[in-house]
Amino acid sequence: MLQGVLARLDDAGNHVPRFTAPRCLLERQAVGGCDACHATCPHDAISLGMLGSSIQIDPDLCTGCGLCVQVCPSGALEYNLEPALQSVRDQQDAASRAAPDASLTCARSGAGGPSLPCLGRVTPALLSAAGAWGAPLTLIHGDCAGCPVGAPDVPERLERVLDTAQALRAPTGKPARVTIRPATPEDASRSLTVSRRGAFGALFRVGKQHLAQSVPESPLPFVDWSVPEDRTPQEWTWRARSLKPAPPEGAAIPWPAPLVDDTCIDCPVCTNVCPTDAITRDLQPDGGVKLLLNLSACTGCMGCLHSCPPQAIHAQTHWRPAAFTAPLLLRESDSVM
């Protein structure tokens, strides 16, 4: 039994992000495709497959910096968000907090407390959730200019991530209290706070300084595409969950998603290319069709917009809170082409 537990802990060190092919715009054959991960990777660890139909990650070159996950528009690349979320939540619990703020640090920064291999893994959902929980969060980075893990512009990227999170927080009236700064010598004394759930795992990491200060990382299981809820990436699930306190009825929530106009020819292209099946095409018994949008599952990648043959799809950037409560009717037709 002990050997099995240790094996699982060892698996948790896998630094390559999970790739969910059905969420990739290349796999979905969206017009224009996407090369964001390939263009962003500072270590040439990501290559495009034959004819640009997929991506491949070289585990020997991947450092686990997470910058590809940050820019993936559809959630095809992701790390498990929940360990970092749990760490921040535990630190923000006033009964157990050992410092006036929660923190996440770069593993190479020399700062104590929970760390990530690179703060390039920080996403808007994490910062928005921290804002919903209410206590300050400090992101402490090291010398990014010479770091072999991430990229020199990680602090600037973090500022853009924070801007996205703050836009999402704005309708709640409760902005995230996030500070991004380089490490100082005093940060070495920051302590590690773990939950009871994480205490058992910590026993196996005693004496291993780097692991003892790391946010536990368990590999994500493969997505079960037969379960509609699992098709939505954690990032967007947590963005929706973090809309607390609930925005007022008339608030405008920033969430880019498609609208369909009357030039639609009722073809299935938008549903075929949607990387999370947020757009569904419901055939009616009378021969008509309803085009529905699950807004919470939409990542705003706009693969549907770029692929629409008659260019009948347009982006709407803000939505009322009620739009998240039930599928939206994008279009209803009496017949199908």
Side-chain angles (χ1 to χ4, degrees):
M1 176 180 175
L2 180 59
Q3 184 176 4
V5 171
L6 291 174
R8 288 196 296 274
L9 287 173
D10 184 60
D11 287 344
N14 181 16
H15 55 270
V16 177
R18 179 180 70 177
F19 174 57
T20 301
R23 290 191 192 139
C24 179
L25 293 178
L26 292 177
E27 295 273 350
R28 286 285 189 168
Q29 298 183 342
V31 171
C34 178
D35 68 346
C37 58
H38 170 71
T40 297
C41 180
H43 307 292
D44 295 325
I46 301 177
S47 58
L48 303 183
M50 293 293 293
L51 301 178
S53 61
S54 184
I55 69 165
Q56 298 172 345
I57 304 176
D58 187 335
D60 294 327
L61 296 177
C62 178
T63 63
C65 67
L67 295 176
C68 59
V69 173
Q70 247 185 25
V71 301
C72 180
S74 62
L77 291 168
E78 58 184 339
Y79 288 108
N80 189 357
L81 272 177
E82 294 186 356
L85 286 164
Q86 185 65 55
S87 174
V88 171
R89 189 69 180 105
D90 285 348
Q91 293 177 81
Q92 292 183 330
D93 182 349
S96 64
R97 193 167 66 242
D101 61 343
S103 66
L104 286 173
T105 73
C106 163
R108 289 176 170 263
S109 67
S115 69
L116 295 167
C118 176
L119 293 186
R121 293 197 184 196
V122 172
T123 63
L126 176 58
L127 301 188
S128 183
W133 293 326
L137 172 63
T138 301
L139 303 176
I140 303 173
H141 61 81
D143 179 14
C144 297
C147 180
V149 177
D153 64 343
V154 164
E156 290 78 12
R157 292 171 186 252
L158 285 175
E159 293 289 353
R160 293 195 290 270
V161 169
L162 179 56
D163 288 344
T164 300
Q166 295 292 33
L168 191 60
R169 300 285 325 144
T172 72
K174 187 178 179 182
R177 298 160 62 189
V178 177
T179 300
I180 302 168
R181 63 170 177 81
T184 65
E186 291 75 19
D187 291 319
S189 62
R190 283 181 174 263
S191 62
L192 175 70
T193 302
V194 296
S195 65
R196 291 181 180 179
R197 183 181 303 176
F200 176 75
L203 291 175
F204 292 93
R205 296 192 291 272
V206 171
K208 299 181 179 180
Q209 183 67 17
H210 174 68
L211 287 178
Q213 292 186 346
S214 296
V215 175
E217 177 183 63
S218 56
L220 285 167
F222 288 110
V223 173
D224 183 352
W225 212 253
S226 67
V227 181
E229 293 79 8
D230 287 352
R231 299 172 195 170
T232 304
Q234 277 189 355
E235 172 68 18
W236 279 267
T237 296
W238 277 97
R239 288 190 192 192
R241 287 178 180 173
S242 70
L243 290 172
K244 306 291 182 183
E249 185 177 337
I253 299 174
W255 199 284
L259 283 178
V260 178
D261 65 30
D262 290 338
T263 62
C264 174
I265 58 176
D266 300 315
C267 74
V269 169
C270 58
T271 57
N272 290 343
V273 302
C274 181
T276 58
D277 284 2
I279 302 178
T280 55
R281 192 165 175 264
D282 189 2
L283 297 176
Q284 304 298 299
D286 61 1
V289 62
K290 289 183 178 180
L291 198 63
L292 303 172
L293 171 68
N294 177 359
L295 188 60
S296 295
C298 179
T299 69
C301 70
M302 295 303 158
C304 55
L305 184 153
H306 299 301
S307 302
C308 179
Q311 298 183 334
I313 295 180
H314 312 277
Q316 178 163 307
T317 58
H318 292 74
W319 300 79
R320 302 300 184 198
F324 291 83
T325 60
L328 301 174
L329 181 63
L330 293 177
R331 177 174 169 81
E332 185 172 16
S333 302
D334 295 331
S335 60
V336 182
M337 67 175 291

